[in-house]
Amino acid sequence: MSENLIEKITNKKLKRRSFLKWSGAVAAPAIIGGAGVSNKLIQKASAETTSSVEEDIVVPTCSTLNCGGKCLIKAHVKDGQIIRISTDDDPRDKNADNEQFPQIRACVRGRGYRRHIYSPHRIKKPLKRVGKRGEGKFEEISWQEAIKEIAKQNNRIKEKYGPASRFSIYATGQTGEVGSGDTVIQRLLALDGGFLGRYSNYSSGQHMAATPFTFGVPAASSSCNTLLDSKLIILHGMNPAETIIGHFNMYLRMSKAKGAKIYTIDPRKTDTNVALADDWFPIKPTTDNALIAAMAHVMFKENLHDKEFLDTYCIGHDEAHMPEGVSAGESYYSYVMGEKDGVPKTPQWAAGITGLPANRIIQLAREVATTKPMAWVQGNGINRHMNGEQMSRGGSMIAALTGNIGISGGWAGPGAAGEIIKYQNFPITPNPLGISIPVFKYTDAIVRGTEMGAADGVKGLKEGETLPSNIKMIFNMAGNCLVNQHSDINKTTKMLKDESLCEFIVTSDIYMTPSAKYSDIILPTCTFFEQNDVVPPWSYGQHIFLSQKVVEPLYGSLTEYEWMSMLAKELGIEKEFTEGRTQDQWVQWMIEESKKKDPNFPSFETMKKNGVYKYEENTVVKFKDNIEDPVNHPFQTPSGKIELFSKKLWDMNNPDTIPAIPKHVAVSEGPESDVTKKYPLQIFGWHVKRRCHSTWEKSDWLEEVQTQELWINPIDAKERQIKNGDKVKIFNDRGTIQIPAKVSSRVMPGVVCLPQGGWFTPDDKGIDNRGAINVLTGQEASPLFCNPQHTNLAQVEKA
């Protein structure tokens, strides 16, 4: 199919401006959940976009891209082509939001999916590198040639360096189950002798690492429908309007309609704040625990804390409730009141660190302490910081101090709500090596893998052992973390260019991403419209999809399962890999097995008709049993209680970076750092509504929804003689970006921010011209081996 024909298909019946009018018609409800659009607006949009269209069939499906909404997509198909997109119209939620069966409506990204499948930028044939790695020079080869070359290199590297030299890099461009290349490649490599595994993720790694020290489990949030009982909701680094997290926006809107107040704590006035919030509390990045300590000071001083709850269910809050073997003066009360260090953590003290006035801190503390149920909801924005683990524990401290744990409308901590959905996964064969590294440290494992052990976060080794090999072969399945989404892009690409380090890289994708350019073999994969899969939602969801094949694959693309089955045959493990099933047969098997776990799970035919199964019993009040019956349901911590002081962290004997209580920890590139003399501005990348991570970057429609530009406060802009729209240079010791500026009071002074996910686009001097934030981020991991990409200092000048 020619590129001209692709362009015609893409624009058929729906020009860019019509798309923007349609997305504009749903702009507010897309931000806050999709309700409230007048019938006139819908009729007007429909008249502009669907006149004279006669659909043959409407096929329900779901995106497998790593988007938090996981919306129901209805593809209108005529003559084998998708001519338009509609979304969920569940009659049970026709006139008002249904608390039990909410519609799973597409946002502006979902409305633009036709541009995703019919993009002229799609990779059309398997490609083999012919120039130096990173130059972007490739030649087309056949699928047979590609598979034979991958098998040859795989066997050579496994024999020379051992199976631990092979690594499937963290990737989220194609999620789901059997349709996820990242899942399927792990099954294949496990059957082929094993591989170097990985754990954690780039988004919520600090939450996952820190929460077990408080509650004994890695997830501590309730289901989002419990927010309907909340009277006050604090969104701490939480921006669901732009990240689109399941039904979160809808329940926030319903909670607000019932009278709940909503506040946001964020350096940027987010779209969530604009659409839903009653107040905004801007604080400097990395200073969240200073705010929390000052709020605790107000509560302790004014006797507003829930002492009965603390004394009954917690340890570490005061000197009378401490674990054995800990010296005096280490409780949270002692820290907050300054009993040991002589520095009371007053609102005035915190104001100088956070940038939030003391009277505003007092206001927030009193309201949080006296309003119940109160949900302090920790988003992933407080992750990705060098002290993110401590800030994660800090939010749970507020929940404990106010007794808002184990009750509906309260909120204990971050993470998924628990098992709402019972379904059968695609089975991954256990990795026989049993060795894994923190996902963020893959570049370390390329350069110094044989030096890495437990001190680097490696799991599965015996005491004193290190990795048996550096990473020599990488499978990059629909991912952009090889380059674009990993830190310090310039350092990473220099490393990948050196073919004596990682010797072979395979990428499977639909676009020539910045990561794909550093591959040796590139394979054209299918979009979700071109294959069948089973797709669960993100954490806050109570539904599961059949992502249904809508059209035949374009060009010569194959699904990852299809080409890996070919590779498995070449490696002599086809029978074990496929178990005699095609991808479609695996999908049917998963649905049949899901019915054994949940008798109400629909049949395959019903799923084909509806596209989605919405669960009825979907309420989870986290730790309800632990609070109501602590004798029979102790917390899974060493003490059986909520550990506001963690003896495990204390025993690590690293109090400056991993304290046993959630203290404010100043970091090397924070607002209190000496580095601010050279690079005075804190910079971070936020998730924007026009992209999910780096996906949708090539959509010109979504580019018009939101442009890529640096947000800077008028005070900082005036000091640098920068006006709105001026091209600016953003730089630090790691790299330089040139991009237009947006001067806005929606970002606090001393902070600048870029929409994360822009594709690295360097000029001949190596200066990025797209705003790829990871040009400026560093590769040093946080104390518990996680991604700290929000913690950076830089300078901005007019270009």
Side-chain angles (χ1 to χ4, degrees), residues 479-491:
N480 212 357
C481 287
L482 185 70
V483 170
N484 204 81
Q485 301 303 98
H486 191 61
S487 289
D488 200 340
I489 288 176
N490 289 316
K491 182 178 180 180

Side-chain angles (χ1 to χ4, degrees), residues 6-20:
I6 292 292
E7 285 287 352
K8 289 178 182 178
I9 292 171
T10 308
N11 290 299
K12 183 180 180 182
K13 305 295 182 188
L14 187 58
K15 300 294 185 182
R16 283 190 301 182
R17 293 300 172 185
S18 295
F19 170 75
L20 288 172

Side-chain angles (χ1 to χ4, degrees), residues 626-679:
N626 307 81
I627 298 303
E628 293 182 352
D629 186 4
V631 174
N632 293 311
H633 298 279
F635 285 88
Q636 297 178 42
T637 57
S639 65
K641 295 191 174 187
I642 301 168
E643 298 199 344
L644 304 177
F645 179 103
S646 169
K647 184 65 161 52
K648 284 186 176 181
L649 292 176
W650 171 264
D651 290 340
M652 290 183 185
N653 196 28
N654 192 4
D656 292 335
T657 57
I658 314 178
I661 53 173
K663 297 180 179 180
H664 166 61
V665 176
V667 294
S668 59
E669 290 197 40
E672 301 152 276
S673 168
D674 288 340
V675 179
T676 56
K677 296 173 183 177
K678 183 178 182 181
Y679 299 119

Side-chain angles (χ1 to χ4, degrees), residues 271-577:
D271 284 5
T272 303
N273 182 280
V274 172
L276 288 168
D278 298 280
D279 208 343
W280 172 39
F281 294 83
I283 63 172
K284 297 175 184 178
T286 75
T287 67
D288 307 61
N289 273 8
L291 168 66
I292 287 167
M295 291 176 64
H297 189 279
V298 173
M299 294 179 196
F300 286 141
K301 187 175 180 180
E302 298 182 9
N303 198 29
L304 299 176
H305 60 293
D306 191 332
K307 188 175 187 305
E308 182 180 356
F309 181 92
L310 292 168
D311 291 349
T312 304
Y313 301 108
C314 305
I315 63 168
H317 52 286
D318 63 20
E319 293 298 312
H321 299 83
M322 292 290 287
E324 294 182 4
V326 178
S327 54
E330 298 294 339
S331 69
Y332 192 68
Y333 180 90
S334 177
Y335 164 70
V336 166
M337 306 310 288
E339 292 182 346
K340 185 174 181 180
D341 62 10
V343 182
K345 310 309 180 291
T346 63
Q348 292 74 21
W349 166 84
I353 296 171
T354 65
L356 188 67
N359 66 312
R360 296 276 283 151
I361 297 174
I362 295 169
Q363 170 205 343
L364 183 62
R366 288 172 176 167
E367 195 162 359
V368 163
T370 58
T371 308
K372 202 169 185 177
M374 183 278 303
W376 186 284
V377 183
Q378 297 152 269
N380 287 347
I382 61 172
N383 269 258
R384 311 184 196 103
H385 277 295
M386 192 58 78
N387 58 358
E389 293 95 346
Q390 295 309 310
M391 296 196 298
S392 178
R393 296 188 73 225
S396 296
M397 176 65 75
I398 288 291
L401 288 171
T402 57
N404 278 289
I405 296 173
I407 61 172
S408 186
W411 204 267
E419 187 177 276
I420 296 174
I421 301 167
K422 298 180 176 66
Y423 73 101
Q424 175 62 55
N425 299 81
F426 176 68
I428 302 177
T429 304
N431 183 1
L433 299 185
I435 305 171
S436 59
I437 62 172
V439 63
F440 183 69
K441 302 195 77 170
Y442 99 87
T443 41
D444 272 12
I446 290 177
V447 177
R448 50 177 293 270
T450 55
E451 302 172 18
M452 293 174 63
D456 298 284
V458 180
K459 294 183 179 180
L461 295 174
K462 295 179 181 178
E463 186 176 354
E465 286 185 340
T466 57
L467 290 177
S469 172
N470 292 359
I471 291 175
K472 291 295 182 180
M473 183 177 189
I474 290 176
F475 286 90
N476 176 36
M477 300 296 100
N480 212 357
C481 287
L482 185 70
V483 170
N484 204 81
Q485 301 303 98
H486 191 61
S487 289
D488 200 340
I489 288 176
N490 289 316
K491 182 178 180 180
T492 300
T493 54
K494 182 179 179 181
M495 185 185 308
L496 295 176
K497 287 177 182 178
D498 187 345
E499 297 173 43
S500 69
L501 294 174
C502 184
E503 296 181 6
F504 199 71
I505 301 173
V506 179
T507 288
S508 179
D509 214 316
I510 62 172
Y511 295 129
M512 183 63 75
T513 65
S515 294
K517 291 178 181 178
Y518 286 83
S519 306
D520 300 292
I521 294 288
I522 302 175
L523 305 173
T525 191
C526 297
T527 67
F528 67 90
F529 286 120
E530 300 160 283
Q531 59 182 307
N532 289 308
D533 198 6
V534 173
V535 184
W538 269 10
S539 303
Y540 306 104
Q542 52 265 3
H543 49 271
I544 192 165
F545 297 96
L546 172 63
S547 182
Q548 196 166 183
K549 183 177 180 180
V550 175
V551 295
E552 292 301 315
L554 293 177
Y555 317 113
S557 60
L558 296 175
T559 70
E560 272 105 352
Y561 183 81
E562 287 173 327
W563 70 254
M564 285 185 212
S565 296
M566 295 167 60
L567 179 58
K569 183 176 182 179
E570 195 73 22
L571 298 176
I573 54 173
E574 180 186 20
K575 181 179 179 180
E576 296 86 349
F577 177 73

Side-chain angles (χ1 to χ4, degrees), residues 619-739:
T619 299
V620 174
V621 178
K622 197 70 173 182
F623 305 128
K624 183 175 185 289
D625 290 342
N626 307 81
I627 298 303
E628 293 182 352
D629 186 4
V631 174
N632 293 311
H633 298 279
F635 285 88
Q636 297 178 42
T637 57
S639 65
K641 295 191 174 187
I642 301 168
E643 298 199 344
L644 304 177
F645 179 103
S646 169
K647 184 65 161 52
K648 284 186 176 181
L649 292 176
W650 171 264
D651 290 340
M652 290 183 185
N653 196 28
N654 192 4
D656 292 335
T657 57
I658 314 178
I661 53 173
K663 297 180 179 180
H664 166 61
V665 176
V667 294
S668 59
E669 290 197 40
E672 301 152 276
S673 168
D674 288 340
V675 179
T676 56
K677 296 173 183 177
K678 183 178 182 181
Y679 299 119
L681 298 172
Q682 289 181 276
I683 182 167
F684 69 93
W686 86 92
H687 286 64
V688 288
K689 55 183 172 285
R690 61 79 35 105
R691 271 193 307 264
C692 180
H693 307 300
S694 68
T695 306
W696 285 278
E697 169 72 344
K698 299 300 289 185
S699 173
D700 51 351
W701 289 353
L702 290 176
E703 182 73 7
E704 295 190 34
V705 170
Q706 185 168 31
T707 57
Q708 186 77 356
E709 54 197 357
L710 178 80
W711 285 31
I712 184 170
N713 184 273
I715 295 172
D716 297 318
K718 184 178 181 181
E719 182 181 327
R720 293 161 175 79
Q721 298 183 325
I722 294 170
K723 296 180 180 178
N724 195 55
D726 284 349
K727 181 169 280 190
V728 295
K729 183 172 74 169
I730 318 152
F731 61 96
N732 59 22
D733 290 343
R734 293 180 284 269
T736 302
I737 296 170
Q738 284 193 165
I739 197 168

Side-chain angles (χ1 to χ4, degrees), residues 36-48:
V37 189
S38 74
N39 288 332
K40 290 182 179 179
L41 278 175
I42 294 176
Q43 291 167 2
K44 180 179 178 182
S46 299
E48 291 183 0

